Amino acid sequence: MRLLGVRLVGLLMLFVISACQKEQKPPNIIFIVTDQQSESMMSSSGNTYIQTPAMDYIAHNGIRFTRAYVTNPVCSPSRVSMLTGRFPGYFSDKTGQQVRNNGTSVNITAIDQEVLDTTLPAYLRQAGYELVFGGKQHFPTPLHPESLGFQVLTEDGRDELAARAAEYIQGNRSKPYFMMVSLINPHDICYMAIRDFADSVSLRRLQRNAAPALEALDRAMDLPEGVDRDTFFARYCPPLPPNFEIQEDEAKAIGVFLDRDPRSFRRGAREEYTEEQWRMHRWAYARLTERADAQVQVILDALKASGQEENTLVIFSSDHGDLDGSHRLEHKNLLYEESVKVPFSAMWKGKITPGQVNDRHLISLGLDLLPTVAEYAGVEAVADPRGMSLKPLFEGLEPEWRETLGIEGEISRAVLHADGLKYVRYDAAGFEERLMDLAADPFETTHFTWKESYKDRLETLRGAFENRWFPGH
């Protein structure tokens, strides 16, 4: 009897150990990143002019953050951050210029070995993951996915990418994988103003080099079938945004920025677009986002079909937003909320409690993605020490969290505070600063820089800017 009891205890211990090992098995990780999608551009964010069931599925079955920000609101710098866990401004281009825009980012020609050893893919290789990449790259040469150990499925960021990713997900894998799915849309909205204000030479070049994007944009601008124009604008087309007018006492640096591009499409759109054209911009932007959502759906369907949904962490975000008519602006670059705040959701069936909406914590896509993914993969990771793993927040815990968060841009840098204040320091037209209060004025229609009641909090954010986030700037 005693021997039987010992054997039963032994079997029970083996069962417990086996269960723990299964529990600790690192998940597959799928990181889906769209291009140029603002946080508000999902139906789960409350936008009634768009339908994004796939993106909403991730949000509803896990956690959605409403205060997630990029490190820089432009494609290549933001993507550099995602892979390295560092601000783009940490790097310099081949001429020694600090990386603050696309031009300097793609011209990074050398990266220290210490950085290469502490990138996201380096940590994942250490953890035994297969690395898979598909879609838009826009990385500098030292960070090309192939050179970092990724298997590249395709450089197409459209339907082909969704199909290739789905095929990979449904394959038999002996090792966990990390897949970065880099969708191109709703980025095609860029070409509306670029085309509208192109000269004949630029237009021919555009038609030759960006034909798929122009075709997608034209489809997105189609009116609903059977709807006349008056009905369309009365019932279907998004209205102008609440902050359509230029910010009161706008920084001079913004005017300098608008005139930097010799094609002047940004200035042209601001000064020449009619209200109807701005509304068409918003309509097309929504349709292009829905195009990306349909591609996300293909990936989610494949995950369900694979039977691995409960062993897969899915993270969804975007590399930056689009100004989409706010302050009579389009494109990105500037540090207004529409440009710097992005969707960020995470889902792992059975591990992350569904239905969570986190509207308190300041999240940095570029700084926080690396430590988060590494922790789920089972390795300790450090890049920029100001980056934080989001795993405790995913799990509904209350860790000690940052009160401030820094953002870089081409003509300015900013620090956000958890209480809703936002301090922006411009440097393109001399020293200029603006203090916004997103709680009192969420659309940044004005600023509170010189109000006496904000004096102490302004000084606090100046200190955070100079001592924690951007020393020397």
Side-chain angles (χ1 to χ4, degrees):
M1 242 350 237
R2 177 178 291 180
L3 182 59
L4 180 60
V6 170
R7 286 178 176 172
L8 286 173
V9 170
L11 287 171
L12 181 61
M13 289 179 66
L14 286 173
F15 176 79
V16 171
I17 290 170
S18 175
C20 288
Q21 287 174 339
K22 286 184 179 180
E23 181 72 22
Q24 294 170 0
K25 182 181 178 182
N28 301 317
I29 303 171
I30 300 175
F31 174 45
I32 303 172
V33 57
T34 57
D35 195 328
Q36 202 149 320
Q37 182 179 353
S38 299
E39 187 272 335
S40 62
M41 294 301 290
M42 297 191 301
S43 39
S44 54
S45 299
N47 191 329
T48 59
Y49 291 92
I50 193 170
Q51 294 297 318
T52 54
M55 299 171 189
D56 298 345
Y57 180 85
I58 300 170
H60 294 327
N61 284 280
I63 185 168
R64 177 173 66 86
F65 293 87
T66 68
R67 303 185 73 188
Y69 291 85
V70 293
T71 52
N72 184 303
V74 195
C75 301
S76 184
S78 182
R79 291 161 188 269
V80 166
S81 281
M82 292 178 208
L83 291 187
T84 67
R86 294 165 170 86
F87 275 106
Y90 178 91
F91 303 95
S92 298
D93 72 358
K94 61 185 178 183
T95 69
Q97 285 187 291
Q98 186 182 39
V99 170
R100 298 182 67 179
N101 56 23
N102 275 334
T104 48
S105 181
V106 297
N107 281 311
I108 299 172
T109 54
I111 291 180
D112 294 342
Q113 190 61 45
E114 178 186 355
V115 174
L116 293 175
D117 290 341
T118 55
T119 61
L120 178 58
Y123 282 120
L124 288 168
R125 287 201 311 270
Q126 178 186 329
Y129 272 68
E130 293 182 359
L131 304 178
V132 187
F133 185 97
K136 177 175 176 175
Q137 295 193 12
H138 212 174
F139 297 110
T141 299
L143 293 178
H144 279 179
E146 297 94 332
S147 65
L148 297 179
F150 283 96
Q151 171 192 343
V152 175
L153 301 176
T154 175
E155 292 188 25
D156 175 82
R158 303 174 189 274
D159 291 343
E160 181 183 338
L161 170 58
R164 293 284 183 88
E167 182 181 358
Y168 182 92
I169 289 166
Q170 294 183 85
N172 293 320
R173 314 250 87 83
S174 60
K175 297 166 62 177
Y177 64 84
F178 172 82
M179 175 187 288
M180 183 169 175
V181 180
S182 179
L183 297 167
I184 189 65
N185 268 312
H187 180 274
D188 290 341
I189 193 61
C190 283
Y191 292 99
M192 180 173 171
I194 290 175
R195 180 171 61 180
D196 286 347
F197 295 96
D199 58 30
S200 58
V201 174
S202 298
L203 183 58
R204 285 195 297 272
R205 185 184 306 118
L206 196 63
Q207 292 168 337
R208 183 173 63 250
N209 297 333
L214 295 177
E215 181 183 352
L217 175 63
D218 287 338
R219 288 200 306 270
M221 295 187 74
D222 286 342
L223 273 58
E225 189 174 351
V227 175
D228 66 79
R229 199 166 184 83
D230 289 343
T231 303
F232 169 73
F233 281 106
R235 295 178 51 190
Y236 293 89
C237 192
L240 296 172
N243 54 355
F244 177 63
E245 297 303 334
I246 296 171
Q247 185 185 67
E248 183 182 3
D249 190 25
E250 180 184 74
K252 295 180 178 64
I254 292 178
V256 171
F257 170 74
L258 293 177
D259 292 330
R260 278 184 177 177
D261 195 311
R263 293 171 293 177
S264 299
F265 62 86
R266 293 184 179 92
R267 173 72 72 183
R270 175 176 256 200
E271 295 181 353
E272 297 181 34
Y273 267 175
T274 64
E275 291 189 1
E276 186 174 286
Q277 285 174 300
W278 278 117
R279 291 184 66 191
M280 283 303 302
H281 185 284
R282 291 168 64 77
W283 165 262
Y285 186 38
R287 304 291 76 75
L288 291 168
T289 304
E290 290 176 345
R291 181 64 251 161
D293 186 77
Q295 291 154 352
V296 174
Q297 188 66 63
V298 171
I299 295 164
L300 295 180
D301 288 345
L303 181 59
K304 292 177 190 176
S306 74
Q308 291 295 308
E309 195 174 32
E310 293 186 359
N311 190 40
T312 304
L313 169 66
V314 180
I315 299 175
F316 172 76
S317 193
S318 189
D319 62 352
H320 54 79
D322 187 280
L323 292 159
D324 195 27
S326 62
H327 315 290
R328 293 182 181 262
L329 295 165
E330 50 84 58
H331 261 65
K332 51 266 187 173
N333 300 83
L334 304 177
L335 303 189
Y336 287 122
E337 292 290 280
E338 293 82 2
S339 184
V340 295
K341 193 165 73 165
V342 291
F344 194 102
S345 303
M347 173 189 81
W348 184 3
K349 290 288 190 72
K351 299 294 191 300
I352 298 175
T353 302
Q356 298 181 75
V357 179
N358 186 309
D359 58 6
R360 295 190 298 113
H361 295 93
L362 292 170
I363 305 306
S364 174
L365 170 61
L367 300 185
D368 297 341
L369 179 70
L370 184 150
T372 302
V373 168
E375 183 171 2
Y376 275 104
V379 292
E380 293 185 14
V382 177
D384 188 314
R386 295 168 295 186
M388 304 177 73
S389 172
L390 302 173
K391 188 172 183 286
L393 298 182
F394 288 180
E395 296 173 355
L397 304 178
E398 289 290 340
E400 185 176 342
W401 203 254
R402 60 171 70 97
E403 282 199 335
T404 61
L405 178 64
I407 308 171
E408 296 179 329
E410 182 172 344
I411 62 168
S412 57
R413 298 175 179 87
V415 172
L416 295 132
H417 195 282
D419 66 5
L421 290 189
K422 178 179 179 181
Y423 172 76
V424 183
R425 184 177 294 186
Y426 294 92
D427 54 31
F431 178 90
E432 296 179 282
E433 55 184 356
R434 295 291 185 271
L435 180 70
M436 270 73 78
D437 185 342
L438 300 175
D441 179 28
F443 296 104
E444 300 174 284
T445 62
T446 187
H447 67 97
F448 302 81
T449 317
W450 315 126
K451 289 187 177 294
E452 185 65 25
S453 58
Y454 286 82
K455 181 178 179 181
D456 291 343
R457 286 187 286 171
L458 172 60
E459 202 57 43
T460 297
L461 284 181
R462 283 176 179 151
F465 184 103
E466 294 166 1
N467 300 317
R468 175 165 176 73
W469 293 104
F470 306 112
H473 296 290

